[in-house]
Amino acid sequence: MDRTERFYKIEHLIRSRGCVSFAALLEALEVSPATLKRDLAYLRERLDAPIEYDAGENGYRFGQQWRGGKHELPGVWFNEAELHALLTMQQMLAGLDEQGVVGRHLQPMFDKITGMLGVDAAEADELRRRVKLIGTARRRMASDSFETVGSAVVKRKRLAIRYRKKTGSGGVSEREVSPQRLVHHRHAWYLDAFCHRSQGLRRFALDGIEAATLLEADAQALALDELEAELDRGYGIFAGGTPREAELLFSAEAAAWVSREEWHPAQQSEFLPDGRWRLRLPYVDDTELLMDLLRHAGQVQVVAPAELREAHAARLRQAVAAL
């Protein structure tokens, strides 16, 4: 058994028997006396396990406050491979949590995971650095707003926000909203919420929220199915409006890679006899879709609808004119 399993075994033996001798622990774990001594010291000193030696019974037991209780060591149900996976997850979380808004609350848990692996801080940092996330065009936001919004989502409370629009005049408005969920898309965070001013579901960019105040009133609850039907039916982050269907035709060269991508959960696709790949998907606003089509300039043809084909052609002409 690995080190983590030994920790669990020691804890289980002491809990089930009350007091266990050193010899009995050696027999059950099948390790050397030196290894067992290190494990017991580590459990006490690094994981705060209330294990003490009882000279009268010549064995190890939990401290008086835990006898007959249900003490469990933190994290002992994870094996070594799972602990490594959790450290990898920490690095991935750091890539999404640039300002440490969430990470600082989870750091105590990750410190315990490091302890369970038996490595020091430098070794744990080396492990995390083996996973690298590269992000571009990140949109920064106020960390206090993110924390307030996240708390409102979890507590199901309303928010008063001051919001600056990204489009149109870019004006600032005061709104009261019922948060429903947080959405992360292309290095930016969004809040899906019911807006009580406009009486409808809206998607707010968190970097557009200049101030957020948690209110005492409960948020208006909406079913997730209703939320998804309203805000997830279009392509990308843009929501609201009547969905249209885009039909795209990728060259055989591009199809080898693009066919492995999911552009939308409701997409339909097929390979043509000549190796080209036909993709059909719903979209509401063409802004993000046009940006992605430009990544495949020369390798994709917009078949339908006509307005999307014309908008794509106009973008290509603008790009050529700018050369």
Side-chain angles (χ1 to χ4, degrees):
M1 64 182 72
D2 66 22
R3 192 165 183 260
T4 303
E5 291 172 319
R6 294 201 307 271
F7 288 166
Y8 180 86
K9 187 72 171 179
I10 292 170
E11 193 273 344
H12 173 73
L13 288 170
I14 294 176
R15 185 175 67 234
S16 60
R17 300 184 187 180
C19 188
V20 187
S21 69
F22 191 83
L25 288 172
L26 281 177
E27 181 181 359
L29 299 173
E30 299 180 336
V31 294
S32 68
T35 297
L36 178 55
K37 288 179 182 178
R38 285 196 298 269
D39 286 352
L40 289 169
Y42 197 91
L43 283 165
R44 286 191 294 247
E45 297 168 9
R46 297 287 296 275
L47 299 180
D48 298 321
I51 298 174
E52 61 183 29
Y53 178 70
D54 189 321
E57 296 194 29
N58 189 30
Y60 293 89
R61 65 189 314 158
F62 290 143
Q64 183 66 43
Q65 72 274 25
W66 287 105
R67 294 175 192 175
K70 296 183 178 180
H71 166 75
E72 289 187 4
L73 299 176
V76 294
W77 47 87
F78 296 119
N79 61 34
E80 190 169 357
E82 291 166 336
L83 290 171
H84 280 119
L86 286 170
L87 281 182
T88 300
M89 184 186 73
Q90 181 186 17
Q91 187 68 357
M92 296 175 67
L93 175 63
L96 301 178
D97 186 31
E98 186 177 298
Q99 294 171 290
V101 177
V102 178
R104 68 172 177 264
H105 297 293
L106 296 178
Q107 191 58 47
M109 180 188 75
F110 287 116
D111 288 342
K112 290 177 182 177
I113 291 172
T114 300
M116 291 300 299
L117 282 170
V119 299
D120 59 25
E123 289 176 289
D125 184 60
E126 177 69 18
L127 287 172
R128 286 189 290 267
R129 289 172 62 192
R130 298 295 175 179
V131 178
K132 181 175 179 64
L133 277 72
I134 299 176
T136 57
R138 289 183 178 177
R139 286 157 53 179
R140 298 184 179 276
M141 60 189 168
S143 60
D144 54 347
S145 292
F146 182 90
E147 201 157 358
T148 302
V149 170
S151 181
V153 171
V154 174
K155 293 180 178 179
R156 311 303 299 275
K157 293 293 184 179
R158 295 190 186 191
L159 277 175
I161 63 173
R162 184 169 69 246
Y163 187 70
R164 182 178 295 277
K165 279 188 173 183
K166 301 290 182 182
T167 58
S169 61
V172 178
S173 61
E174 304 283 343
R175 300 168 183 254
E176 182 174 321
V177 301
S178 287
Q180 304 296 320
R181 67 179 177 183
L182 282 169
V183 177
H184 187 266
H185 179 70
R186 298 193 179 190
H187 309 298
W189 285 97
Y190 299 84
L191 171 67
D192 288 347
F194 181 84
C195 178
H196 294 277
R197 192 183 75 170
S198 57
Q199 287 295 299
L201 283 168
R202 296 292 184 269
R203 179 165 284 167
F204 301 96
L206 257 65
D207 60 319
I209 297 178
E210 298 185 344
T213 303
L214 190 65
L215 304 177
E216 289 295 326
D218 292 336
Q220 181 171 325
L222 298 175
L224 281 176
D225 289 345
E226 179 182 351
L227 192 69
E228 291 167 356
E230 178 69 21
L231 299 181
D232 295 348
R233 57 188 177 182
Y235 180 79
I237 200 63
F238 292 95
T242 303
R244 292 167 286 175
E245 184 179 77
E247 181 178 345
L248 313 173
L249 197 57
F250 290 88
S251 69
E253 180 183 357
W257 300 101
V258 183
S259 62
R260 301 178 185 180
E261 300 174 355
E262 181 183 86
W263 288 47
H264 191 276
Q267 71 183 40
Q268 297 179 331
S269 62
E270 62 178 343
F271 275 100
L272 301 184
D274 59 4
R276 291 183 298 170
W277 189 58
R278 189 197 310 276
L279 173 66
R280 295 184 179 91
L281 72 157
Y283 74 99
V284 173
D285 185 293
D286 64 10
T287 305
E288 193 171 352
L289 181 55
L290 286 171
M291 289 191 297
D292 285 338
L293 289 175
L294 288 175
R295 292 190 297 116
H296 299 281
Q299 300 288 334
V300 61
Q301 173 190 354
V302 178
V303 179
E307 57 267 28
L308 180 62
R309 184 171 63 250
E310 292 167 3
H312 182 231
R315 288 289 187 95
L316 291 174
R317 287 193 294 270
Q318 291 170 2
V320 172
L323 293 177

